[in-house]
Amino acid sequence: MKKILVLLVCLLGSIAYSQKLDCAKFKNGKFAASAFPNEYSIRKDSIEDCYMDGKLQTVWSVKWLTDCKLEKICIKNFGSEYSKVGDRSVSEITYTDEDCVTLSITYFNEENPNGMEFTRGLCFQKE
């Protein structure tokens, strides 16, 4: 009985002190990952344009499934070798701070019909 009580107290404590994610401010903006300095994306409402070396590579349709979860589908490709029209990803924001966000991403394409999972950090890119 003591073990159950201790487990319950720990569970309630972790819920009470869990971080409140502020996902709304990441719905629109210009974002970049520090690991890929020559790439950035601009998301506005239901469209995301992705650039490499300043050139538009892909356009994605964006649908927010919840406040912190979005689905993207590639609708145009202007030369990207990494994505094809019809590729899809589902991303969930798992951490936020003032200017950055961590996403848990599942990417679906021909080679990965069941999805390939990875995480990526993105930050607002200052002009």
Side-chain angles (χ1 to χ4, degrees):
M1 185 65 168
K2 280 186 176 181
K3 288 181 182 179
I4 293 173
L5 184 58
V6 169
L7 181 61
L8 185 59
V9 168
C10 289
L11 180 61
L12 291 174
S14 67
I15 292 170
Y17 292 102
S18 64
Q19 176 196 17
K20 171 76 171 107
L21 296 176
D22 182 14
C23 301
K25 71 179 182 179
F26 295 99
K27 289 189 176 186
N28 292 294
K30 184 175 181 180
F31 304 96
S34 60
F36 303 97
N38 63 333
E39 298 177 23
Y40 65 91
S41 60
I42 299 173
R43 186 167 47 239
K44 184 174 181 193
D45 301 321
S46 63
I47 296 292
E48 180 171 310
D49 296 330
C50 296
Y51 295 82
M52 182 182 292
D53 296 323
K55 296 178 183 174
L56 181 61
Q57 296 292 302
T58 54
V59 177
W60 299 76
S61 151
V62 177
K63 178 181 177 184
W64 285 90
L65 305 173
T66 68
D67 286 342
C68 295
K69 188 174 187 177
L70 67 144
E71 176 182 56
K72 298 189 319 182
I73 299 173
C74 183
I75 57 174
K76 293 181 184 175
N77 184 321
F78 298 102
S80 171
E81 60 187 73
Y82 303 109
S83 302
K84 295 179 182 174
V85 171
D87 287 0
R88 179 175 71 93
S89 70
V90 176
S91 304
E92 186 161 4
I93 296 173
T94 58
Y95 175 81
T96 62
D97 70 15
E98 191 169 319
D99 289 327
C100 298
V101 63
T102 301
L103 299 164
S104 174
I105 302 168
T106 305
Y107 191 83
F108 302 89
N109 60 13
E110 282 182 12
E111 294 81 28
N112 300 287
N114 296 322
M116 174 180 65
E117 296 181 10
F118 59 97
T119 59
R120 175 161 295 168
L122 295 175
C123 295
F124 282 116
Q125 188 173 31
K126 310 289 188 217
E127 294 298 327

